[in-house]
Structures are given as C-alpha cells and as structure tokens.
Amino acid sequence: MNVQLESFAGYTGTPILALGNGKIAYPWATGVAFETVGGGTEPEFWAAGDGTHEISQMRLNHQGSLIVCAERRLKSCLLVYSYPDRAPLQRIPDVCTLGIADMAFSRDGKLFAVLSGAPHYQVTLFSVDFQNKFTIVHQQKTPNVHQFSSISFNPKDSHQFCTSGGGHIMFWNYDPQANTASGTEGRVQTSGVRLCSHVWLTSGDAVYL
C-alpha cells in the first residue's frame, strides 16, 4: 500500500495505524483522524479524551480490540478505548512527566510499554488482563542516561522488548514472577556506527538502524 503522507489533513509525523480494509488512523490535534486511503473523502475526526489536550501518540493492539491514546500534559495521561466501537475503558493519569516518546503492545496483547521522552527516557510497563484493565507492573525510578526514542516488543517473546536511540540500544527482559524488568545494553562491533533505531524480524532477531 503506497501512502502519500503529505496529503493527510492534520498529520504531524507520528506513526500511522493501519486498521485494515484500507483504513488508517493518526493523532490529529486534540483527537484522532480516521481516513480511507485513496477514498477521496474527508477524514473523520474523533475527539478522544477531553477534547482540549493534544493527542501525541496512539497504538492499536495486534488483536485489533484496543486503542491507547496518549494525552499531552505536564504529566502525560493514557486513554484506553475498546475498538472498533471506541468505548472508553480506562484513564491512566500521571504516567510520566512531559511527553511520551513511544509506546508498544506485546504481540499477545498482555503487556504494554511506554517510553517517556526528554529528559528522563524512562520505561513504564503495564500488564493487560482479560478484562482489558491496565496495571503498572514495572516503572523505572531513575532516568536512563541514553536518549532512547523508540520501544518495541520481540514478536517471538512477549517478555522481551527493546529501546533504542541516541546512538544506543538496550534489550529488556520482564520477569512476571518478580514484576521487574532488567536491561542489557547492546554493542556494535563496527566502529563509527551510531544506532538511531531498531526493528524486529519475525525470527525474533533485532536489526539495528
């Protein structure tokens, strides 16, 4: 599917969600725009949240049943909705200070990770139960020294995720028994290479970019 991003009204460069059947969604000012690619129709505006705070990020779980929107505030707030009916399920205040850099669902939908932006770049991990209730199971207490900008889960192991950016990459493992996540910094053997991002292969291997 070829997409001309500059043609989307209100598009600000955040990740675009592919909803299937040629439909996409992306944050648009204080809400979310739903649009059909090549449909020749105006986008539908959905006023998520209170309608006054900017929606900075949004994610759809792999099961296509939940949407999470991040409301930009001094202390960022998460808004959880069922999909496709967009019924409000949960509001999670004070997730992190200032903005959210990235968010991700695990492939099985049972974990949700939030990476805060500058100046802390901290990871917050939520469990998602069978009733779609989000509960914090791990939250970093100290800032990361690296300027991470992206976070994603291993498609083969939902307890492993990765953060990258600012020239560094870190692999994390979540222990559900102890409700803790520990990180190991990755290293590049080639001199002069600066890591900017990463992507997971279906094999569970990570490619550094």
Side-chain angles (χ1 to χ4, degrees):
M1 180 174 64
N2 295 321
V3 177
Q4 295 180 343
L5 302 182
E6 65 273 13
S7 70
F8 294 157
Y11 179 66
T12 58
T14 55
I16 294 175
L17 299 186
L19 304 176
N21 299 319
K23 296 184 182 296
I24 60 171
Y26 51 91
W28 183 6
T30 58
V32 174
F34 290 87
E35 190 165 349
T36 300
V37 178
T41 58
E42 290 295 317
E44 174 201 351
F45 180 77
W46 171 43
D50 61 9
T52 60
H53 290 85
E54 178 186 353
I55 301 299
S56 61
Q57 299 270 350
M58 63 180 298
R59 294 294 182 273
L60 176 73
N61 67 353
H62 296 276
Q63 292 70 33
S65 60
L66 292 176
I67 281 182
V68 178
C69 298
E71 213 173 41
R72 192 188 301 277
R73 296 169 175 261
L74 179 59
K75 291 189 176 182
S76 293
C77 170
L78 295 182
L79 308 168
V80 183
Y81 298 90
S82 59
Y83 186 80
D85 60 356
R86 307 179 210 165
L89 299 178
Q90 189 176 356
R91 181 181 184 274
I92 309 170
D94 303 341
V95 175
C96 61
T97 303
L98 301 179
I100 289 176
D102 200 10
M103 310 188 300
F105 274 102
S106 62
R107 184 58 61 98
D108 62 8
K110 295 180 179 180
L111 290 174
F112 183 75
V114 173
L115 174 66
S116 68
H120 297 138
Y121 311 101
Q122 290 168 303
V123 172
T124 301
L125 197 62
F126 296 84
S127 65
V128 185
D129 66 19
F130 69 97
Q131 294 181 319
N132 295 326
K133 180 177 175 59
F134 285 57
T135 303
I136 293 178
V137 293
H138 174 80
Q139 191 167 39
Q140 281 186 278
K141 302 301 183 184
T142 57
N144 275 310
V145 296
H146 304 312
Q147 298 175 2
F148 294 131
S149 58
S150 62
I151 189 167
S152 67
F153 282 88
N154 184 340
K156 299 287 285 186
D157 184 352
S158 291
H159 289 163
Q160 185 180 69
F161 58 98
C162 182
T163 53
S164 65
H168 298 269
I169 189 166
M170 184 169 286
F171 293 94
W172 301 79
N173 284 288
Y174 169 62
D175 181 351
Q177 302 299 322
N179 274 344
T180 58
S182 56
T184 302
E185 187 168 356
R187 299 187 181 277
V188 178
Q189 302 301 322
T190 306
S191 61
V193 173
R194 179 176 174 82
L195 298 175
C196 297
S197 188
H198 70 276
V199 64
W200 291 97
L201 302 179
T202 55
S203 62
D205 296 324
V207 177
Y208 318 144
L209 306 174

